[in-house]
Amino acid sequence: MHKTGTAWWQHGIVYQIYPRSFQDSDGDGIGDLPGIMGRLDHLVELGVDAVWLSPIFPSPMADFGYDVADFTGVDPIFGTQEQFDALVTEVHRRGLRLILDFVPNHTSDRHPWFEEARRSRDSAKRDWYIWRDPAPDGGPPNNWLSNFGGSAWEYDAATGQYYYHAFLKEQPDLNWRNPAVRAAMFDALRSWMARGVDGFRVDVIWHLIKDDQFRDNPVSPDWKPGMDPFHQLVPLYTADRPEVLDLVREMRAVIDEYDDRVLIGEIYLPLERLMAYYGADLTGAHMPFNFQLIDAPWHARTLEGLINEYEGGLPPGGWPNWVLGNHDKPRIASRVGPAQARVAVMLLLTLRGTPTFYYGDELGMENGLIRPDQVRDPFEKNVPGRGLGRDPQRTPMQWSAAPNAGFTTGQPWLPVSDSFSEVNVEAQSGDRRSMLSLCRALIALRRGEPALAAGAFEPVSAEGDLLVYQRIWGTDRFAVALNLGSTAARIALPERFADGRIHLSTHLDRSDALVGATVELRADEGVIIAPAKSAQVKP
């Protein structure tokens, strides 16, 4: 237990690794488990607490691991079961935790379960998936759409029925209404926890249950040509069904069979629905992922509003969390620019709740440039020209100015970003004002100060491009002032911070500078301010 009295997943920082892109150890151009193990010291030096791995299970790789063919194995591309066990040991030896991505909504169409299910309508595993007869005209049973383009129904000529797939046709959805499916998937969770895994990030958890009447989804009044075609319909009957919360509670009960584990849910939903996934009496997901910083316009008043709304909407005892980037969304430095990316990481690491880093964001990595002939993402291939492809944010980690950024001695599976000669771990480790140095300093400060790790959040009134708040733990306070604008701005500080000092600036150049009743923030600057000692008072 941390000195704040919080669990590791509350005071800690989660670091997401996309295994294909982190470090290749054998020259095949694809990252692997030994590569990750060889780079763990970078995570220790950075100061994070937990490693989250995107899927490493056996897979045909139609969706690069999110099409699972065995929920209890390791794909040979990434390594062996023994290498995974060695990774768990090395992670724990360094005082870190290991979180696995779990993909319960669907399997690969090459999973033995589905191969058996499609043999005949009488197969013992037929009801493990979702099958329907054709519509009277022979077409799909209803209007449900795939997230990756086109109908969500694929016709199986051998048995004369359609099966449902929320994503690729190679990813048939499991029927979570079937108790045998639930039992098998829960046993898979247990098998990983028995091997030392500390928790799970559960993929598309809000998709697990579909309407048992198979009603058509309503047409969206907001969709316009050129937008993602999936959003033509409101997924009323294919996601966030009322019964899914019962499943999340059952999954949490399995997690709770083991000590000190965490359940994190991937959920892209409006705030009021997101909060439901904490469950009654907090018996749902420990942390339903909060993606507001990924999707919101980067304006101070917008962010202020969503932060206050999120804090106010949490159920009693619900623990907040914040995410700046992941494998599905453009990188933060590309969304807001390199200068504001520094302000963004200060925001991430000083808000109340658990922060999640995406690999490379500690360097300010931007989206890579992917030529049409280099596209690997099936989403981009299915829905081209809409800017929906996810390859740009999955380019290899940039370790050094060596060939291929030190990621591989072979041909990388995706091209290394052109920025790697300057934007890399080796170069930034030697630069006291680099993004990496800023992230290390922020994390060290957060780890050492209970007010920043677990303290209360209190907004401070501000205008224009300024976002200001306090973090409070007993008599300790910090003010965080962020300038989201491109011009300098001055702000009046709360009275107790007059004659305080700047503890840390995103520019890394005026630590310990004294402030008066006001402080001037330069363009694209954030500061953490400590009050004068005499001003420390109980909240």
Side-chain angles (χ1 to χ4, degrees), residues 7-25:
W8 66 266
W9 52 268
Q10 292 175 308
H11 64 257
I13 298 167
V14 177
Y15 185 97
Q16 182 190 358
I17 289 176
Y18 194 70
R20 296 181 69 91
S21 298
F22 199 62
Q23 179 66 63
D24 173 27
S25 71

Side-chain angles (χ1 to χ4, degrees), residues 17 19-20 22-28 30-41 53 56 74-88 90-91 94 399 406-407:
I17 289 176
R20 296 181 69 91
F22 199 62
Q23 179 66 63
D24 173 27
S25 71
D26 58 11
D28 67 356
I30 297 172
D32 47 42
L33 297 180
I36 293 170
M37 191 155 50
R39 295 294 189 179
L40 289 177
D41 287 345
L53 300 183
I56 57 167
V74 174
D75 195 288
I77 287 177
F78 299 123
T80 65
Q81 297 273 18
E82 292 74 21
Q83 288 170 332
F84 177 82
D85 291 337
L87 176 62
V88 173
E90 289 302 308
V91 164
R94 288 167 171 81
W399 295 105
F407 163 70

Side-chain angles (χ1 to χ4, degrees), residues 26-363:
D26 58 11
D28 67 356
I30 297 172
D32 47 42
L33 297 180
I36 293 170
M37 191 155 50
R39 295 294 189 179
L40 289 177
D41 287 345
H42 168 66
L43 305 185
V44 174
E45 292 167 6
L46 181 59
V48 300
D49 300 89
V51 182
W52 155 29
L53 300 183
S54 290
I56 57 167
F57 313 110
S59 168
M61 299 294 166
D63 190 23
F64 297 109
Y66 285 91
D67 50 318
V68 178
D70 177 1
F71 287 99
T72 60
V74 174
D75 195 288
I77 287 177
F78 299 123
T80 65
Q81 297 273 18
E82 292 74 21
Q83 288 170 332
F84 177 82
D85 291 337
L87 176 62
V88 173
T89 298
E90 289 302 308
V91 164
H92 289 165
R93 188 173 68 82
R94 288 167 171 81
L96 303 173
R97 306 282 184 149
L98 186 65
I99 298 169
L100 280 190
D101 219 315
F102 192 63
V103 189
N105 180 69
H106 46 262
T107 72
S108 166
D109 62 349
R110 299 187 199 176
H111 194 294
W113 297 345
F114 188 71
E115 290 178 340
E116 181 177 338
R118 74 190 313 177
R119 286 196 186 108
S120 78
R121 294 194 183 195
D122 298 323
S123 165
K125 286 195 167 51
R126 186 71 170 185
D127 192 46
W128 284 44
Y129 295 85
I130 299 171
W131 299 89
R132 298 293 288 174
D133 289 331
D137 65 359
N142 60 26
N143 72 348
W144 294 356
L145 296 175
S146 163
N147 286 260
F148 284 170
S151 172
W153 294 98
E154 181 71 11
Y155 186 65
D156 181 63
T159 57
Q161 284 188 313
Y162 284 85
Y163 66 84
Y164 176 74
H165 57 93
F167 296 90
L168 297 174
K169 64 182 177 62
E170 294 86 357
Q171 295 170 293
D173 279 43
L174 285 163
N175 175 18
W176 272 80
R177 295 182 184 276
N178 185 331
V181 169
R182 298 201 298 274
M185 297 302 279
F186 293 159
D187 281 345
L189 291 174
R190 293 184 181 102
S191 75
W192 289 110
M193 288 188 288
R195 295 173 65 180
V197 169
D198 297 291
F200 300 91
R201 173 267 192 189
V202 182
D203 187 61
V204 297
I205 197 170
W206 80 107
H207 276 258
L208 292 182
I209 286 286
K210 291 79 179 174
D211 181 45
D212 58 359
Q213 299 178 50
F214 295 93
R215 289 168 284 190
D216 279 354
N217 277 326
V219 173
S220 171
D222 301 321
W223 186 85
K224 296 179 178 57
M227 295 172 64
D228 183 345
F230 174 74
H231 296 302
Q232 294 176 75
L233 303 178
V234 178
L236 177 64
Y237 296 115
T238 47
D240 192 31
R241 301 299 301 157
E243 306 98 312
V244 77
L245 299 178
D246 293 331
L247 288 182
V248 176
R249 187 173 63 253
E250 289 183 33
M251 192 176 295
R252 167 66 180 276
V254 173
I255 300 299
D256 286 346
E257 293 172 10
Y258 294 76
D259 292 336
D260 215 16
R261 311 302 165 100
V262 67
L263 178 65
I264 304 169
E266 183 201 25
I267 303 164
Y268 285 94
L269 287 174
L271 186 66
E272 65 275 8
R273 289 304 305 153
L274 177 70
M275 296 305 177
Y277 284 77
Y278 281 99
D281 300 320
L282 302 183
T283 55
H286 290 96
M287 293 190 296
F289 257 152
N290 168 25
F291 296 122
Q292 292 184 95
L293 295 182
I294 288 181
D295 294 327
W298 201 252
H299 304 302
R301 301 285 68 76
T302 301
L303 295 182
E304 179 183 59
L306 69 84
I307 292 167
N308 292 340
E309 183 184 11
Y310 178 74
E311 279 280 350
L314 287 164
W319 189 255
N321 68 93
W322 299 93
V323 183
L324 272 185
N326 61 33
H327 60 291
D328 287 331
K329 298 292 184 176
R331 286 191 176 272
I332 183 63
S334 292
R335 299 201 308 270
V336 303
Q340 274 296 308
R342 298 173 74 99
V343 177
V345 297
M346 181 172 278
L347 175 67
L348 176 71
L349 291 168
T350 58
L351 285 171
R352 188 175 80 95
T354 303
T356 296
F357 253 103
Y358 184 50
Y359 83 96
D361 281 355
E362 73 271 29
L363 306 176

Side-chain angles (χ1 to χ4, degrees), residues 440-476:
R440 287 174 174 172
L442 279 165
I443 291 172
L445 179 60
R446 186 181 188 277
R447 288 171 70 98
E449 296 290 348
L452 295 175
F457 173 88
E458 183 177 293
V460 175
S461 178
E463 297 180 350
D465 293 322
L466 295 176
L467 177 62
V468 187
Y469 48 90
Q470 295 185 59
R471 297 299 307 284
I472 305 161
W473 180 266
T475 61
D476 294 334

Side-chain angles (χ1 to χ4, degrees), residues 303-539:
L303 295 182
E304 179 183 59
L306 69 84
I307 292 167
N308 292 340
E309 183 184 11
Y310 178 74
E311 279 280 350
L314 287 164
W319 189 255
N321 68 93
W322 299 93
V323 183
L324 272 185
N326 61 33
H327 60 291
D328 287 331
K329 298 292 184 176
R331 286 191 176 272
I332 183 63
S334 292
R335 299 201 308 270
V336 303
Q340 274 296 308
R342 298 173 74 99
V343 177
V345 297
M346 181 172 278
L347 175 67
L348 176 71
L349 291 168
T350 58
L351 285 171
R352 188 175 80 95
T354 303
T356 296
F357 253 103
Y358 184 50
Y359 83 96
D361 281 355
E362 73 271 29
L363 306 176
M365 280 178 59
E366 298 183 63
N367 292 343
L369 181 62
I370 309 295
R371 300 193 312 265
D373 62 304
Q374 296 171 321
V375 169
R376 304 294 298 274
D377 183 11
F379 193 7
E380 175 67 17
K381 291 179 178 180
N382 286 357
V383 190
R386 307 285 181 93
L388 301 174
R390 301 164 296 175
D391 290 333
Q393 56 265 30
R394 298 176 177 182
T395 57
M397 179 66 171
Q398 296 165 200
W399 295 105
S400 71
N404 295 321
F407 163 70
T408 182
T409 58
Q411 180 67 30
W413 79 285
L414 280 175
V416 174
S417 174
D418 291 341
S419 68
F420 80 90
S421 59
E422 293 85 25
V423 181
N424 64 69
V425 172
E426 188 176 273
Q428 292 197 12
S429 291
D431 179 355
R432 290 187 296 175
R433 294 190 182 178
S434 68
M435 175 68 123
L436 180 57
S437 293
L438 171 63
C439 290
R440 287 174 174 172
L442 279 165
I443 291 172
L445 179 60
R446 186 181 188 277
R447 288 171 70 98
E449 296 290 348
L452 295 175
F457 173 88
E458 183 177 293
V460 175
S461 178
E463 297 180 350
D465 293 322
L466 295 176
L467 177 62
V468 187
Y469 48 90
Q470 295 185 59
R471 297 299 307 284
I472 305 161
W473 180 266
T475 61
D476 294 334
R477 289 177 180 255
F478 288 93
V480 181
L482 308 173
N483 186 357
L484 276 64
S486 57
T487 58
R490 181 170 290 276
I491 184 169
L493 296 170
E495 183 177 350
R496 61 177 56 88
F497 289 93
D499 301 321
R501 60 186 177 85
I502 293 176
H503 207 81
L504 185 64
S505 164
T506 52
H507 291 10
L508 293 174
D509 63 350
R510 55 172 178 161
S511 295
D512 292 324
L514 298 177
V515 297
T518 64
V519 63
E520 181 171 300
L521 297 182
R522 290 164 290 182
D524 306 307
E525 182 181 26
V527 295
I528 301 173
I529 302 170
K533 290 294 184 183
S534 61
Q536 295 278 22
V537 295
K538 290 184 179 180

